[in-house]
């Protein structure tokens, strides 16, 4: 047997929570209202181009990217704009959102909705980058970094490998896994488009071993395309984190404070690669994505849904349960890194890979007790940090020590807090530490 | 009402209490072996020790720190078991309670409770008793397999004592066979005699991923290599390597005491240094010291080095050169 690749420092094994792994992607349908935030990416909010009362179609540009690190926002439905206002989003921050009342389902005429797969790429790198930019694509693994920047190589950098991240090591989530099974060829073409934009020949699609169906389909289809290969990784968390993925596949480690491009790699999520395919080959802006709706208790109609951006979470939750009052916690994202939502009506964004429902019992975090120095956090940290030491430096206000402990290297995967038998919220301490170190600089 | 919290929203199944519970399970074979060889007295010592440790911790939390009691994390039970396992079955019960006081109050609670102590509490208790009551702490009865009431207990020398005499003037009782030493049919403390029972517990702890094999392995092997070299060079019958490995507190110490989370280093390399230090010190004390036994002192001395080791041996930061 071939030894499957993985990173060498730390990591944890999550129990199998992939309840929805075998469920095909289905269309979620249209809600009555969608709430489209003008900031669904890191960087500045997009500049709003529309006003209350305007009629829009699916794919109409609503807001224009404000600078390089920003992204266009498109309408995900057809209908009338009824409100533009600050509304509380999932993380409890007020965000400017464009509220659209859904009427019919009319698309912008230039969007190609046919199922034909187009594999020819007749565009120049500049044309590709412009198409990606005008489609509002951002990193869909959750980072939200505007994609045009990541398919352009900046002056003086050399890239030799494109990694397409199909790891999805997060607990519960299966959206990327399903996408690889159902849209494999489109993802491969998406990878080739990125390669063309970057001017390189080598793309590797990384999949972890718990997705045999995706591995089989991808391995078969990549044979048709020169320069695209599949690499199977161990199922380990956080294998899908950018730095850990690069380390597993190329053996290169991104030095502290550096970017993947500094070791000659660019990483894009499979969802992003698919969105790039649709943008470039089908003129389709990013107005929908695949969202896993999951949870241990909510038994009915869990699954992987194709959801229009801006759909309220409650619209999906209503499909799974008649008793939303029994839900203890709603998490946007997966169990390890997801954000627990303050209200059920918060809209799904370009970055929402899943809606995880926990019951009342699982929703409660156990209280923090004393550290017993078991060193499990140290063994689990994929960055070689000592989370217990970061926590005690925070508790004693020793901010100089935080810097010596390389707190800035933390990737916020949460492995330390997951494994801690004393249930110390180590990730919270690490995040606080990062803020403190930043303040000092 | 929706609950909100920061990520991660999942926890590994092992909690402090379940870790302690698993350690207690791992200690059960040793407890059973102790009772089988030393009878009802052994059970009495164990019960006294566990009750004493739990009671002292509870009382300390209740009346001294006046904080929520930490008793229910079961760590005091583990300390109580380990302390009893380091005592002879014939020890007067009030001395056991003195040991409990030393272990729980003076070496754990006054440092700030679980996780804060520098020295292994059970070993502090044992060493205190050993120095204060040398006669009671070194009176050994002959093991009487399954004779629970042990009416006519005979005293017997431990294998280590025999080995010490062998090195000194060569006149001593005959050593028990390796098999007897392995199963535990020898004189000694309640929980240290049966290497077999201890190893069963060790395998269980490894299987449950409570401890890693490093400290135990490096402790035993560094000691074994040194004593073997000594034996090969001096040809002294008192340095019989297998007898040394199977007797005294070495197995109990290497499996259950040196691996204590709180008082051992945290990084993998630090653990190896710590374990080798324990092995070297055990060898030096057993061969060159006045005491036949050196495990307790070796571990306690290395406990004192843990903060230094933790400072020197840190994990490799991702993206930096291997050191």
């Amino acid at each position: 047997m071939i030894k499957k690749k993985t990173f060498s420092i730390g990591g944890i094994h999550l129990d199998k929570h992939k309840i929805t792994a075998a469920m095909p992607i289905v269309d979620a349908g249209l809600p009555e209202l969608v709430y489209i935030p003008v900031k669904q990416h890191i960087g500045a909010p997009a500049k709003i181009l529309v006003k209350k009362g305007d009629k829009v179609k699916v794919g109409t540009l609503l807001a224009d990217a404000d600078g390089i690190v920003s992204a266009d926002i498109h309408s995900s439905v057809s209908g009338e704009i009824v409100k533009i206002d600050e509304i509380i989003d999932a993380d409890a921050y007020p965000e400017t959102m464009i509220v659209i009342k859904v009427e019919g389902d009319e698309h912008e005429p230039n969007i190609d909705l046919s199922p034909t797969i187009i594999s020819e790429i007749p565009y120049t790198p500049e044309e590709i980058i412009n198409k990606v930019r005008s489609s509002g694509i951002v990193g869909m693994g959750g980072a939200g970094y505007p994609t045009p920047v990541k398919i352009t190589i900046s002056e003086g950098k050399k890239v030799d490998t494109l990694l397409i991240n199909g790891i999805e090591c997060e607990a519960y989530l299966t959206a990327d896994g399903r996408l690889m099974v159902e849209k494999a060829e489109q993802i491969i073409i998406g990878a080739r488009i990125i390669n063309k934009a970057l001017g390189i020949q080598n793309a590797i699609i990384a999949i972890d071993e718990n997705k045999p169906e995706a591995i089989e389909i991808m391995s078969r289809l990549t044979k048709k395309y020169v320069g695209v290969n599949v690499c199977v990784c161990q199922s380990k968390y956080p294998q899908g984190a950018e730095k850990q993925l690069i380390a597993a596949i190329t053996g290169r480690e991104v030095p502290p404070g550096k970017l993947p491009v500094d070791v000659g790699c660019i990483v894009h999520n499979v969802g992003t690669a698919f969105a790039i395919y649709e943008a470039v080959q089908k003129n389709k802006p990013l107005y929908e994505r695949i969202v896993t709706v999951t949870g241990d208790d909510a038994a009915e109609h869990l699954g992987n849904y194709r959801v229009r951006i801006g759909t309220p979470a409650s619209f999906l939750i209503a499909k799974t349960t008649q008793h939303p009052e029994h839900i203890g916690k709603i998490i946007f994202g997966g169990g390890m890194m997801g954000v627990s939502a303050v209200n059920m009506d918060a809209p799904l964004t370009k970055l929402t890979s899943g809606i995880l429902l926990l019951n009342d019992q699982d929703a409660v975090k156990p209280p923090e007790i004393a550290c017993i120095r078991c060193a499990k956090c140290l063994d689990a940290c994929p960055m070689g940090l000592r989370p217990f030491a970061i926590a005690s430096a925070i508790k004693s206000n020793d901010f100089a020590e935080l810097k010596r402990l390389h707190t800035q290297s933390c990737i916020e995967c949460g492995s330390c807090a997951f494994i801690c038998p004393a249930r110390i919220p180590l990730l919270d301490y690490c995040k606080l530490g990062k803020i403190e170190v930043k303040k000092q600089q | 009402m929706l609950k909100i919290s920061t990520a991660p929203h999942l926890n590994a199944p092992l909690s402090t209490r379940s870790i302690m519970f698993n350690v207690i399970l791992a200690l059960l074979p040793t407890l059973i072996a102790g009772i089988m060889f030393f009878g009802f007295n052994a059970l009495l010592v164990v019960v006294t020790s566990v009750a004493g440790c739990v009671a002292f911790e509870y009382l300390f939390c209740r009346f001294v720190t006046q904080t929520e009691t930490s008793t229910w994390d079961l760590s005091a039970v583990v300390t109580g078991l380990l302390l009893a396992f380091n005592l002879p079955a014939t020890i007067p019960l009030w001395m056991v309670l003195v040991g409990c006081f030393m272990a729980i109050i003076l070496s754990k609670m006054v440092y700030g409770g679980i996780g804060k102590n520098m020295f292994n509490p059970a070993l502090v208790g044992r060493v205190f008793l050993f120095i204060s009551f040398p006669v009671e702490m070194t009176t050994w009865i002959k093991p009487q397999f399954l004779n629970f009431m042990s009416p006519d207990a005979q005293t017997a020398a431990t294998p280590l004592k025999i080995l010490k005499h062998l090195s000194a003037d060569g006149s001593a009782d005959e050593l028990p066979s390796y098999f007897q030493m392995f199963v535990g049919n020898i004189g000694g403390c309640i929980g240290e005699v049966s290497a077999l029972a201890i190893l069963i517990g060790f395998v269980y702890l490894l299987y449950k991923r409570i401890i890693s094999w490093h400290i135990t392995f490096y402790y035993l092997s560094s000691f074994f290599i040194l004593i073997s070299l000594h034996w090969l060079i001096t040809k002294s019958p008192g340095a019989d390597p297998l007898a040394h490995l199977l007797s005294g507190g070495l197995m109990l110490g290497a499996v259950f005491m040196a691996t204590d989370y709180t008082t051992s280093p945290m990084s993998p390399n630090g653990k190896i240094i710590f374990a080798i230090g324990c092995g070297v010190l055990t060898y030096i004390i057993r061969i060159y010291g006045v005491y036949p036994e050196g495990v307790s002192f070796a571990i306690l001395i290395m406990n004192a080095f843990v903060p230094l080791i933790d400072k020197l041996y840190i994990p490799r930061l991702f993206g930096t050169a291997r050191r």
Side-chain angles (χ1 to χ4, degrees), chain A residues 128-151:
Chain A
I128 292 171
I129 292 164
N130 284 334
K131 277 186 160 227
V132 169
R133 178 170 293 128
S134 63
S135 300
I137 298 175
V138 300
M140 289 172 76
Y145 200 79
T147 302
V149 187
K150 276 182 71 180
I151 57 174

PDB file of all heavy atoms in Angstrom, chain A residues 128-151:
ATOM      1  N   ILE A 128      -8.787  35.985 -18.135  1.00  0.00           N
ATOM      2  CA  ILE A 128      -9.245  35.095 -17.061  1.00  0.00           C
ATOM      3  C   ILE A 128      -9.366  35.873 -15.754  1.00  0.00           C
ATOM      4  O   ILE A 128     -10.392  35.827 -15.067  1.00  0.00           O
ATOM      5  CB  ILE A 128      -8.264  33.907 -16.887  1.00  0.00           C
ATOM      6  CG1 ILE A 128      -8.335  32.995 -18.109  1.00  0.00           C
ATOM      7  CG2 ILE A 128      -8.578  33.129 -15.609  1.00  0.00           C
ATOM      8  CD1 ILE A 128      -7.276  31.925 -18.158  1.00  0.00           C
ATOM      9  N   ILE A 129      -8.315  36.634 -15.442  1.00  0.00           N
ATOM     10  CA  ILE A 129      -8.320  37.378 -14.177  1.00  0.00           C
ATOM     11  C   ILE A 129      -9.467  38.381 -14.149  1.00  0.00           C
ATOM     12  O   ILE A 129     -10.168  38.516 -13.137  1.00  0.00           O
ATOM     13  CB  ILE A 129      -6.948  38.060 -13.953  1.00  0.00           C
ATOM     14  CG1 ILE A 129      -5.882  36.988 -13.710  1.00  0.00           C
ATOM     15  CG2 ILE A 129      -6.992  39.032 -12.774  1.00  0.00           C
ATOM     16  CD1 ILE A 129      -4.464  37.448 -13.855  1.00  0.00           C
ATOM     17  N   ASN A 130      -9.704  39.042 -15.278  1.00  0.00           N
ATOM     18  CA  ASN A 130     -10.818  39.997 -15.321  1.00  0.00           C
ATOM     19  C   ASN A 130     -12.166  39.320 -15.144  1.00  0.00           C
ATOM     20  O   ASN A 130     -13.046  39.826 -14.448  1.00  0.00           O
ATOM     21  CB  ASN A 130     -10.790  40.771 -16.641  1.00  0.00           C
ATOM     22  CG  ASN A 130      -9.702  41.834 -16.626  1.00  0.00           C
ATOM     23  OD1 ASN A 130      -9.331  42.314 -15.540  1.00  0.00           O
ATOM     24  ND2 ASN A 130      -9.178  42.172 -17.782  1.00  0.00           N
ATOM     25  N   LYS A 131     -12.333  38.167 -15.778  1.00  0.00           N
ATOM     26  CA  LYS A 131     -13.597  37.444 -15.642  1.00  0.00           C
ATOM     27  C   LYS A 131     -13.812  37.003 -14.189  1.00  0.00           C
ATOM     28  O   LYS A 131     -14.924  37.099 -13.654  1.00  0.00           O
ATOM     29  CB  LYS A 131     -13.609  36.215 -16.560  1.00  0.00           C
ATOM     30  CG  LYS A 131     -14.009  36.545 -17.988  1.00  0.00           C
ATOM     31  CD  LYS A 131     -14.143  35.273 -18.817  1.00  0.00           C
ATOM     32  CE  LYS A 131     -15.003  35.531 -20.046  1.00  0.00           C
ATOM     33  NZ  LYS A 131     -16.014  34.538 -20.276  1.00  0.00           N
ATOM     34  N   VAL A 132     -12.739  36.531 -13.574  1.00  0.00           N
ATOM     35  CA  VAL A 132     -12.846  36.090 -12.180  1.00  0.00           C
ATOM     36  C   VAL A 132     -13.172  37.280 -11.282  1.00  0.00           C
ATOM     37  O   VAL A 132     -14.019  37.209 -10.398  1.00  0.00           O
ATOM     38  CB  VAL A 132     -11.543  35.387 -11.721  1.00  0.00           C
ATOM     39  CG1 VAL A 132     -11.537  35.175 -10.217  1.00  0.00           C
ATOM     40  CG2 VAL A 132     -11.380  34.058 -12.441  1.00  0.00           C
ATOM     41  N   ARG A 133     -12.522  38.435 -11.596  1.00  0.00           N
ATOM     42  CA  ARG A 133     -12.767  39.613 -10.779  1.00  0.00           C
ATOM     43  C   ARG A 133     -14.216  40.075 -10.911  1.00  0.00           C
ATOM     44  O   ARG A 133     -14.892  40.340  -9.919  1.00  0.00           O
ATOM     45  CB  ARG A 133     -11.807  40.742 -11.165  1.00  0.00           C
ATOM     46  CG  ARG A 133     -12.050  42.029 -10.363  1.00  0.00           C
ATOM     47  CD  ARG A 133     -10.951  43.048 -10.565  1.00  0.00           C
ATOM     48  NE  ARG A 133      -9.693  42.591  -9.993  1.00  0.00           N
ATOM     49  CZ  ARG A 133      -8.545  42.560 -10.650  1.00  0.00           C
ATOM     50  NH1 ARG A 133      -8.487  42.951 -11.903  1.00  0.00           N
ATOM     51  NH2 ARG A 133      -7.440  42.132 -10.061  1.00  0.00           N
ATOM     52  N   SER A 134     -14.714  40.111 -12.150  1.00  0.00           N
ATOM     53  CA  SER A 134     -16.069  40.628 -12.346  1.00  0.00           C
ATOM     54  C   SER A 134     -17.135  39.605 -11.940  1.00  0.00           C
ATOM     55  O   SER A 134     -18.322  39.891 -12.001  1.00  0.00           O
ATOM     56  CB  SER A 134     -16.264  41.058 -13.793  1.00  0.00           C
ATOM     57  OG  SER A 134     -16.129  39.932 -14.630  1.00  0.00           O
ATOM     58  N   SER A 135     -16.702  38.417 -11.496  1.00  0.00           N
ATOM     59  CA  SER A 135     -17.674  37.440 -10.998  1.00  0.00           C
ATOM     60  C   SER A 135     -17.733  37.419  -9.478  1.00  0.00           C
ATOM     61  O   SER A 135     -18.487  36.638  -8.890  1.00  0.00           O
ATOM     62  CB  SER A 135     -17.324  36.049 -11.510  1.00  0.00           C
ATOM     63  OG  SER A 135     -17.336  36.041 -12.911  1.00  0.00           O
ATOM     64  N   GLY A 136     -16.909  38.231  -8.858  1.00  0.00           N
ATOM     65  CA  GLY A 136     -16.966  38.345  -7.400  1.00  0.00           C
ATOM     66  C   GLY A 136     -16.500  37.120  -6.651  1.00  0.00           C
ATOM     67  O   GLY A 136     -16.986  36.833  -5.561  1.00  0.00           O
ATOM     68  N   ILE A 137     -15.534  36.393  -7.211  1.00  0.00           N
ATOM     69  CA  ILE A 137     -15.116  35.145  -6.566  1.00  0.00           C
ATOM     70  C   ILE A 137     -14.114  35.414  -5.440  1.00  0.00           C
ATOM     71  O   ILE A 137     -13.187  36.213  -5.588  1.00  0.00           O
ATOM     72  CB  ILE A 137     -14.516  34.173  -7.599  1.00  0.00           C
ATOM     73  CG1 ILE A 137     -15.594  33.829  -8.630  1.00  0.00           C
ATOM     74  CG2 ILE A 137     -13.997  32.904  -6.920  1.00  0.00           C
ATOM     75  CD1 ILE A 137     -15.101  32.970  -9.760  1.00  0.00           C
ATOM     76  N   VAL A 138     -14.352  34.748  -4.309  1.00  0.00           N
ATOM     77  CA  VAL A 138     -13.440  34.813  -3.156  1.00  0.00           C
ATOM     78  C   VAL A 138     -13.126  33.386  -2.735  1.00  0.00           C
ATOM     79  O   VAL A 138     -13.813  32.448  -3.139  1.00  0.00           O
ATOM     80  CB  VAL A 138     -14.067  35.592  -1.987  1.00  0.00           C
ATOM     81  CG1 VAL A 138     -14.392  37.022  -2.382  1.00  0.00           C
ATOM     82  CG2 VAL A 138     -15.308  34.892  -1.458  1.00  0.00           C
ATOM     83  N   GLY A 139     -12.083  33.225  -1.929  1.00  0.00           N
ATOM     84  CA  GLY A 139     -11.693  31.891  -1.467  1.00  0.00           C
ATOM     85  C   GLY A 139     -12.832  31.242  -0.705  1.00  0.00           C
ATOM     86  O   GLY A 139     -13.251  31.734   0.341  1.00  0.00           O
ATOM     87  N   MET A 140     -13.354  30.131  -1.234  1.00  0.00           N
ATOM     88  CA  MET A 140     -14.589  29.591  -0.682  1.00  0.00           C
ATOM     89  C   MET A 140     -14.361  28.565   0.419  1.00  0.00           C
ATOM     90  O   MET A 140     -15.302  28.012   0.978  1.00  0.00           O
ATOM     91  CB  MET A 140     -15.445  29.007  -1.798  1.00  0.00           C
ATOM     92  CG  MET A 140     -16.015  30.137  -2.654  1.00  0.00           C
ATOM     93  SD  MET A 140     -16.835  29.584  -4.128  1.00  0.00           S
ATOM     94  CE  MET A 140     -18.378  28.990  -3.470  1.00  0.00           C
ATOM     95  N   GLY A 141     -13.096  28.296   0.732  1.00  0.00           N
ATOM     96  CA  GLY A 141     -12.810  27.409   1.848  1.00  0.00           C
ATOM     97  C   GLY A 141     -13.129  28.080   3.173  1.00  0.00           C
ATOM     98  O   GLY A 141     -13.189  27.432   4.204  1.00  0.00           O
ATOM     99  N   GLY A 142     -13.337  29.380   3.155  1.00  0.00           N
ATOM    100  CA  GLY A 142     -13.680  30.074   4.381  1.00  0.00           C
ATOM    101  C   GLY A 142     -12.844  31.304   4.625  1.00  0.00           C
ATOM    102  O   GLY A 142     -13.201  32.163   5.418  1.00  0.00           O
ATOM    103  N   ALA A 143     -11.706  31.410   3.910  1.00  0.00           N
ATOM    104  CA  ALA A 143     -10.814  32.546   4.151  1.00  0.00           C
ATOM    105  C   ALA A 143     -11.415  33.836   3.599  1.00  0.00           C
ATOM    106  O   ALA A 143     -11.273  34.893   4.189  1.00  0.00           O
ATOM    107  CB  ALA A 143      -9.458  32.288   3.519  1.00  0.00           C
ATOM    108  N   GLY A 144     -12.097  33.739   2.460  1.00  0.00           N
ATOM    109  CA  GLY A 144     -12.720  34.928   1.892  1.00  0.00           C
ATOM    110  C   GLY A 144     -11.738  35.888   1.271  1.00  0.00           C
ATOM    111  O   GLY A 144     -12.028  37.064   1.095  1.00  0.00           O
ATOM    112  N   TYR A 145     -10.552  35.397   0.935  1.00  0.00           N
ATOM    113  CA  TYR A 145      -9.574  36.264   0.278  1.00  0.00           C
ATOM    114  C   TYR A 145      -9.947  36.386  -1.197  1.00  0.00           C
ATOM    115  O   TYR A 145     -10.174  35.376  -1.854  1.00  0.00           O
ATOM    116  CB  TYR A 145      -8.177  35.665   0.434  1.00  0.00           C
ATOM    117  CG  TYR A 145      -7.088  36.670   0.231  1.00  0.00           C
ATOM    118  CD1 TYR A 145      -6.746  37.552   1.250  1.00  0.00           C
ATOM    119  CD2 TYR A 145      -6.414  36.760  -0.975  1.00  0.00           C
ATOM    120  CE1 TYR A 145      -5.761  38.492   1.067  1.00  0.00           C
ATOM    121  CE2 TYR A 145      -5.423  37.700  -1.168  1.00  0.00           C
ATOM    122  CZ  TYR A 145      -5.098  38.568  -0.142  1.00  0.00           C
ATOM    123  OH  TYR A 145      -4.116  39.507  -0.324  1.00  0.00           O
ATOM    124  N   PRO A 146     -10.063  37.615  -1.725  1.00  0.00           N
ATOM    125  CA  PRO A 146     -10.480  37.762  -3.121  1.00  0.00           C
ATOM    126  C   PRO A 146      -9.586  36.954  -4.069  1.00  0.00           C
ATOM    127  O   PRO A 146      -8.358  37.080  -4.048  1.00  0.00           O
ATOM    128  CB  PRO A 146     -10.357  39.266  -3.366  1.00  0.00           C
ATOM    129  CG  PRO A 146     -10.585  39.868  -2.019  1.00  0.00           C
ATOM    130  CD  PRO A 146      -9.943  38.910  -1.058  1.00  0.00           C
ATOM    131  N   THR A 147     -10.214  36.116  -4.874  1.00  0.00           N
ATOM    132  CA  THR A 147      -9.480  35.172  -5.699  1.00  0.00           C
ATOM    133  C   THR A 147      -8.611  35.806  -6.790  1.00  0.00           C
ATOM    134  O   THR A 147      -7.532  35.296  -7.073  1.00  0.00           O
ATOM    135  CB  THR A 147     -10.466  34.161  -6.306  1.00  0.00           C
ATOM    136  OG1 THR A 147     -11.134  33.521  -5.219  1.00  0.00           O
ATOM    137  CG2 THR A 147      -9.762  33.120  -7.143  1.00  0.00           C
ATOM    138  N   PRO A 148      -9.033  36.929  -7.421  1.00  0.00           N
ATOM    139  CA  PRO A 148      -8.184  37.501  -8.481  1.00  0.00           C
ATOM    140  C   PRO A 148      -6.754  37.719  -8.010  1.00  0.00           C
ATOM    141  O   PRO A 148      -5.807  37.490  -8.761  1.00  0.00           O
ATOM    142  CB  PRO A 148      -8.869  38.841  -8.784  1.00  0.00           C
ATOM    143  CG  PRO A 148     -10.271  38.672  -8.361  1.00  0.00           C
ATOM    144  CD  PRO A 148     -10.279  37.690  -7.251  1.00  0.00           C
ATOM    145  N   VAL A 149      -6.596  38.126  -6.744  1.00  0.00           N
ATOM    146  CA  VAL A 149      -5.260  38.368  -6.209  1.00  0.00           C
ATOM    147  C   VAL A 149      -4.465  37.062  -6.156  1.00  0.00           C
ATOM    148  O   VAL A 149      -3.256  37.035  -6.370  1.00  0.00           O
ATOM    149  CB  VAL A 149      -5.356  38.979  -4.794  1.00  0.00           C
ATOM    150  CG1 VAL A 149      -3.992  39.390  -4.287  1.00  0.00           C
ATOM    151  CG2 VAL A 149      -6.303  40.163  -4.792  1.00  0.00           C
ATOM    152  N   LYS A 150      -5.192  35.959  -5.896  1.00  0.00           N
ATOM    153  CA  LYS A 150      -4.501  34.679  -5.740  1.00  0.00           C
ATOM    154  C   LYS A 150      -4.277  33.940  -7.053  1.00  0.00           C
ATOM    155  O   LYS A 150      -3.727  32.847  -7.056  1.00  0.00           O
ATOM    156  CB  LYS A 150      -5.265  33.778  -4.762  1.00  0.00           C
ATOM    157  CG  LYS A 150      -4.897  34.080  -3.301  1.00  0.00           C
ATOM    158  CD  LYS A 150      -5.613  33.158  -2.341  1.00  0.00           C
ATOM    159  CE  LYS A 150      -5.091  31.747  -2.384  1.00  0.00           C
ATOM    160  NZ  LYS A 150      -5.804  30.864  -1.442  1.00  0.00           N
ATOM    161  N   ILE A 151      -4.754  34.510  -8.179  1.00  0.00           N
ATOM    162  CA  ILE A 151      -4.384  33.896  -9.455  1.00  0.00           C
ATOM    163  C   ILE A 151      -3.465  34.820 -10.250  1.00  0.00           C
ATOM    164  O   ILE A 151      -3.249  34.651 -11.437  1.00  0.00           O
ATOM    165  CB  ILE A 151      -5.617  33.479 -10.296  1.00  0.00           C
ATOM    166  CG1 ILE A 151      -6.545  34.668 -10.554  1.00  0.00           C
ATOM    167  CG2 ILE A 151      -6.386  32.363  -9.606  1.00  0.00           C
ATOM    168  CD1 ILE A 151      -7.692  34.324 -11.489  1.00  0.00           C
TER     169      ILE A 151
END
